[in-house]
Amino acid sequence: MNPVPLDKLVPPHVRGFEAYIPSKPDEVLKKLYGCSRLFRLNNNENALGPPPAARSVIDRFPSSRASVYPSGDAYPLRCKLADKFGLDPDQILVGNGANEVITFAIKAFCREGDNIITADKTFAVYEWVAEFSGYQARLVPLADFGFDDEGMLERIDERTKILFICNPNNPTGGFWDEKKIRGFLERIGGRQIVIIDEAYAEFMEAKDYPDGISLIGTYPNVVVFRTFSKMYGLAGLRIGYLVGDLEVVNIIRRTCVVYSVNVLAQEAARAALDDGEHVLRTREMIRQGKDFLIRELNLLGLSYIHGGGNFMMIHLPMSDSLAYRKLMTRGIMVRTMTGFRFPNYIRVTVSKMEAMEAFIEALEGILREGNT
Ligand SMILES: *Cc1c(COP(=O)(O)O)cnc(C)c1O
């Protein structure tokens, strides 16, 4: 057999794209770095896990149901979300994580030669999906660690289809308030789709944090992303959704892969929505963890960036990849930020005090060692 003629088969935008390699399983990493326990502070997961009601759904899930297909369009969950937000269930599309709904939206609106606009230092999946699909991602530098509205407006041309705003921004935590987002939407004038990624909405307590879903009535070009991975502690089950104007969602539905969300995820997500206590308990954990980190980082003389969400960025006097390896040998996994175009920064998930104390102790250790 001849070798597969990949140079002929593979389009240039795929050939030029570098695959993202996720971290290895805990057991493999522990062996590799010689640590006996591992605090994963790299993915902004919720250390409290799912809310009790969702836990109970998971614990009691009858194995016989594994052989039956789920609701292909997450109908019961969409009804519950619609009830909660005062929407029509058909204004919601559920995906295998918010990551999947990003691909639905890009596929629905972009064709060859089109572009999307987002920030240079934000959640990278918008850029990646655009690029490996053959569309241009225009990356506007952050302004003061937040999205630059003027800069984004300047980059719009007749081939711009979608503007992605991560609110609050992962990894900086910066966010646009209600006034800023409305001003931006006024100037867009409905000519492009504006996606507001609210993966961390449930963590936000600031009075001026805008609820993107409430903007859809006035601005039908707005599409909002939410996820059950962060606040609701269901990252492992992979479930997220988008919300938009009925006509817009009816378009996106055409590119939506049905049956991609499993039955357990759908049912756990439905149960998770009932638990207000869980949100309050999580916010309290984040408050306590952040207060502690800020106090300790000040003592260590390190600078940091934070805002909304369950994470903080820390600037280190060494390369982030070296810091990563050194922290790993001490059982702490963080996110290196060079990939987010923030060299020498790490992003740390705010978690339970036990993990925060272990992180600070490890950080002190590696700072003492220096660049060796
Ligand atoms: C975690 C995250 C997502 C993706 O969440 P999944 O639902 O787990 O795919 C989307 N956007 C941002 C900004 C995130 O941080």
Side-chain angles (χ1 to χ4, degrees):
M1 283 285 269
N2 293 323
V4 182
L6 291 175
D7 52 334
K8 285 213 182 66
L9 293 175
V10 183
H13 58 264
V14 174
R15 208 177 308 139
F17 190 82
E18 200 177 325
Y20 174 78
I21 314 288
S23 62
K24 299 222 159 38
D26 285 18
E27 289 317 308
V28 177
L29 289 170
K30 281 190 209 161
K31 229 188 218 155
L32 193 63
Y33 289 95
C35 50
S36 53
R37 58 123 174 74
L38 187 61
F39 287 109
R40 274 189 174 260
L41 304 178
N42 63 324
N43 274 340
N44 302 341
E45 292 150 354
N46 187 344
L48 297 183
R55 242 172 239 261
S56 136
V57 164
I58 296 165
D59 290 344
R60 291 185 200 155
F61 185 74
S63 54
S64 60
R65 292 193 57 197
S67 61
V68 181
Y69 276 101
S71 165
D73 57 0
Y75 182 74
L77 174 61
R78 288 190 297 113
C79 288
K80 184 135 181 190
L81 287 166
D83 235 25
K84 179 180 162 91
F85 296 123
L87 301 164
D88 179 329
D90 287 342
Q91 289 183 266
I92 302 165
L93 289 175
V94 181
N96 194 267
N99 269 309
E100 194 185 39
V101 303
I102 297 174
T103 65
F104 298 163
I106 290 180
K107 279 187 215 158
F109 296 106
C110 293
R111 68 170 122 176
E112 202 185 336
D114 285 346
N115 66 74
I116 63 129
I117 298 178
T118 187
D120 62 339
K121 293 159 174 161
T122 186
F123 192 61
V125 179
Y126 327 128
E127 171 190 343
W128 291 342
V129 174
E131 288 184 342
F132 68 55
S133 308
Y135 315 123
Q136 188 191 24
R138 299 187 166 181
L139 307 181
V140 177
L142 293 183
D144 196 21
F145 300 111
F147 273 60
D148 176 10
D149 49 351
E150 289 297 330
M152 291 181 78
L153 289 164
E154 276 169 22
R155 296 300 306 278
I156 295 175
D157 66 14
E158 71 285 358
R159 300 306 299 270
T160 302
K161 292 298 176 68
I162 308 177
L163 296 103
F164 281 92
I165 295 152
C166 187
N167 210 42
N169 188 31
N170 173 8
T172 60
F175 66 91
W176 284 3
D177 63 16
E178 177 97 23
K179 185 161 170 271
K180 186 151 181 169
I181 208 141
R182 282 181 180 272
F184 184 78
L185 292 168
E186 286 296 330
R187 289 176 64 186
I188 295 279
R191 283 179 292 269
Q192 287 83 24
I193 298 293
V194 176
I195 291 183
I196 310 174
D197 184 344
E198 297 185 344
Y200 301 94
E202 299 86 357
F203 292 93
M204 299 301 290
E205 297 180 80
K207 287 266 178 303
D208 57 352
Y209 175 72
D211 168 16
I213 293 175
S214 73
L215 295 170
I216 293 167
T218 316
Y219 303 101
N221 59 325
V222 167
V223 175
V224 175
F225 290 172
R226 300 264 176 106
T227 179
F228 286 95
S229 295
K230 306 288 162 56
M231 173 58 83
Y232 291 111
L234 295 173
L237 295 187
R238 312 302 303 124
I239 182 163
Y241 57 99
L242 64 76
V243 182
D245 171 73
L246 192 56
E247 273 187 70
V248 170
V249 172
N250 280 339
I251 295 295
I252 304 177
R253 195 187 327 282
R254 298 168 194 198
T255 65
C256 162
V257 179
V258 289
Y259 293 102
S260 74
V261 184
N262 69 77
V263 60
L264 186 54
Q266 292 187 28
E267 296 202 354
R270 206 146 58 95
L273 289 172
D274 286 331
D275 201 325
E277 280 286 302
H278 171 81
V279 173
L280 297 178
R281 271 198 307 275
T282 302
R283 286 179 178 175
E284 178 54 33
M285 172 184 76
I286 303 304
R287 222 174 353 253
Q288 200 188 1
K290 267 195 186 175
D291 287 350
F292 172 78
L293 287 180
I294 288 170
R295 212 164 46 236
E296 296 295 321
L297 294 169
N298 286 341
L299 289 173
L300 290 169
L302 294 176
S303 62
Y304 47 83
I305 300 163
H306 74 105
N310 59 342
F311 49 86
M312 279 180 83
M313 278 175 63
I314 302 169
H315 188 234
L316 297 177
M318 66 175 78
S319 94
D320 46 341
S321 57
L322 178 66
Y324 171 88
R325 291 193 302 272
K326 284 172 169 281
L327 288 170
M328 281 299 287
T329 64
R330 291 166 161 85
I332 306 286
M333 188 169 184
V334 296
R335 179 56 62 105
T336 56
M337 286 283 101
T338 294
F340 280 72
R341 305 185 175 89
F342 274 115
N344 291 17
Y345 275 90
I346 55 170
R347 190 194 63 202
V348 182
T349 304
V350 181
S351 182
K352 288 182 178 169
M353 280 309 288
E354 182 196 9
M356 298 293 87
E357 283 163 2
F359 166 67
I360 289 293
E361 192 185 319
L363 189 61
E364 282 169 345
I366 73 165
L367 290 171
R368 266 197 308 273
E369 272 177 27
N371 281 304
T372 52

